[in-house]
Amino acid sequence: NLVKTTNSAGMDKSSVLSLELHPARALDVDLSNNPECREDLELGYFAIAKNSWSEAAIKFQKIASRMPGDSSVYNNYGLALLQRAIEMAKDEDESNQMMANSQFESAILALREAAKSAPEESTILLNLAHALLVSGRSEKAMKIIHVHNTKHPNSIEGANLEAAALVSLGQSVNAKAKLTMFKGDSIVDENLARLL
């Protein structure tokens, strides 16, 4: 989503065209070796369902301390931090906007940790690229997107993320060409309308 930055006078500093992204996604966590984490896991998923991102981050961080290196747990922790960062970046309060950067950093670290443990997991790669893109690291996002889209050439989410990265790099024509192949998805169709 478009994150607008405003100066103290409330004037728009950047109303750059940006594309709508598919939501980042949580993964199922296997607790067969860690049944003691069940309550925290249920509360973590419940917090995600309620968009209570701070609460979700706390629960998944707690599980991560008991299950180090578990890619699904780190993905879900990173997802919660990412959504919290996006909310902070949109906040009217400038101090929250300033703190959003450190939240983005933490989200990216958690998602990189997840990707290290499960480099083949499509959802983790998409979430990591999403975090890099919305935090302003379009070139780095593009590298992850290429890794993902090489393995999953028919991924609508991957194509849409690539188009969003292309737009942020000033390549709207290429973005439109990329999206045209995936017409019929509501988010893709909305983005194509923006690129007219």
Side-chain angles (χ1 to χ4, degrees), residues 26-29 31 37-49 52-68 70-81 110:
L27 289 171
D28 289 333
V29 176
L31 290 182
C37 295
R38 182 156 315 285
E39 187 183 344
D40 282 328
L41 184 65
E42 285 170 8
L43 290 169
Y45 283 134
F46 188 61
I48 286 174
S52 300
W53 303 116
S54 296
E55 201 181 315
I58 290 165
K59 293 299 175 195
F60 282 106
Q61 184 178 32
K62 194 171 165 189
I63 299 166
S65 69
R66 294 197 199 139
M67 297 172 67
D70 185 284
S71 59
S72 297
V73 172
Y74 274 93
N75 174 75
N76 297 353
Y77 177 46
L79 165 71
L81 292 172

Side-chain angles (χ1 to χ4, degrees), residues 8 10 14 23 39 46 49 96 104 108 112 139 144 168 178 180:
S8 52
S14 70
E39 187 183 344
F46 188 61
N96 273 343
F104 279 123
I108 290 165
R112 277 197 176 127
E139 277 101 359
I144 304 292
S168 72
K178 172 62 66 182
T180 304

